[in-house]
Amino acid sequence: MNENTITITYTVYGYDEAGDTSFDMDVSDRIYDKLSEAEDDGEFLDSDFIAENMKGLHKRILKAIRENMEEESWNPDDGTIEMKVYGIASRVPCVGASHEDMLISAEDDDIEYNVELLW
């Protein structure tokens, strides 16, 4: 089985300061072809479409997103944002930017993602 790469970009409701987070994931030829056909048909490859039409892939993507949240939580700057006071930049704690908190408290319905096919 030959693997193909897709990019997953996700956001979580309530964690606006964290912004979009992206990572790559390998999928089988069959899944890649199915996604490619849907995109060719004008479908937007987002969490709503995939959850409705490709339930197994949706579960796999949610699991991969949670694994990515855990990885991101290891970053020393996770859960902080940069603030400037009198022109001096420093990092301050911000729960809305925390992948660690996101991992613990986010429900699957809070996660929105889209898929980009890498050629």
Side-chain angles (χ1 to χ4, degrees), residues 19-119:
D20 293 344
T21 305
S22 297
F23 65 94
D24 292 341
M25 182 173 128
D26 290 332
V27 294
S28 68
D29 286 340
R30 183 181 63 79
I31 296 293
Y32 192 88
D33 290 344
K34 197 170 181 182
L35 289 168
S36 182
E37 287 173 19
E39 188 175 64
D40 290 346
D41 289 342
E43 296 292 344
F44 186 62
L45 303 179
D46 64 359
S47 49
D48 292 334
F49 173 80
I50 293 173
E52 185 175 320
N53 297 286
M54 304 174 82
K55 290 175 180 31
L57 178 60
H58 177 66
K59 289 178 183 178
R60 188 170 160 212
I61 288 173
L62 288 174
K63 181 180 178 195
I65 287 172
R66 293 202 177 275
E67 289 170 358
N68 182 265
M69 287 176 187
E70 183 175 0
E71 254 180 58
E72 291 290 329
S73 74
W74 300 335
N75 181 334
D77 289 333
D78 184 54
T80 66
I81 57 172
E82 185 174 299
M83 293 203 56
K84 289 187 180 183
V85 178
Y86 302 113
I88 300 171
S90 63
R91 299 208 64 87
V92 296
C94 177
V95 173
S98 172
H99 286 83
E100 180 178 23
D101 191 64
M102 196 184 294
L103 177 63
I104 294 166
S105 63
E107 299 292 327
D108 286 350
D109 291 343
D110 296 334
I111 301 170
E112 293 184 357
Y113 64 84
N114 61 53
V115 172
E116 179 184 348
L117 303 177
L118 299 180
W119 301 96

